[in-house]
Every structure is written in C-alpha cells, then in structure tokens.
Amino acid sequence: MRPRNALLLAAAVPVAVTAAAVALKAGHWRLYADRHRIEITARPRPTCPHCHGDGGWWTGGAFPEREACGCWSDRRELRIRLLPLPGWPDEPPF
C-alpha cells in the first residue's frame, strides 16, 4: 500500500465511524459489538406521544405486566455473528 493511500484510509475511518454513530443516534438505534457478535437494535423515541420515551407502560390487574410501545418494538433488529460462542460441555470435567 502506498503511503498516500494509507493516509487517506487513516483519515477516512474516523469520519466513517463518526458518521455511523450520528446516523444510529438520529435513528434511535443502539449498537453493541464484541468479538462474538454485532447487534443493532431499536431504542424508544424520546418524543413518542404514547410512552414518552419510556418504551412502554404497565397494564393494570392483579399481576401487572409491561406492554411494549410500537415506537421501538415493531422495528427490526440486526445481529451479525462473528465468532462462535464457546459451547457448554455435556458433563462437568470432574
């Protein structure tokens, strides 16, 4: 790789990361990445008129449950698997 191309690449990567972070924040998405996976999931909108940014509400009754708001629960999520998770052994090693 030529030095000029390396400098352009070194300058382009932080710009691309910043642009991706701004786009995810503006679209109310959350990015999680580790060595096993990359996940992009929806977050509740702070300006939602139904849940007011809480992501849902409690339904009444003897056993109250939390109902998710459609501002984030109806949106798709993306998961990219990178490395396999270590498996659990069938039997303990002792």
Side-chain angles (χ1 to χ4, degrees), residues 5 11-12 15 19 24 30 40 47 63 65 72 74 82-84 87-88 91:
N5 291 343
V15 171
L24 287 171
R30 182 176 60 98
I40 299 175
T47 59
F63 302 102
E65 295 182 357
W72 69 274
D74 295 339
L82 301 176
L83 293 174
W88 291 96
E91 296 181 8

Side-chain angles (χ1 to χ4, degrees), residues 42-87:
R43 293 185 316 166
R45 290 183 307 155
T47 59
C48 177
H50 304 291
C51 69
H52 306 288
D54 289 335
W57 51 87
W58 292 98
T59 59
F63 302 102
E65 295 182 357
R66 185 148 173 99
E67 186 173 333
C69 183
C71 71
W72 69 274
S73 66
D74 295 339
R75 293 167 53 183
R76 296 183 61 142
E77 56 187 39
L78 175 67
R79 290 189 180 131
I80 302 170
R81 205 170 129 190
L82 301 176
L83 293 174
L85 293 172

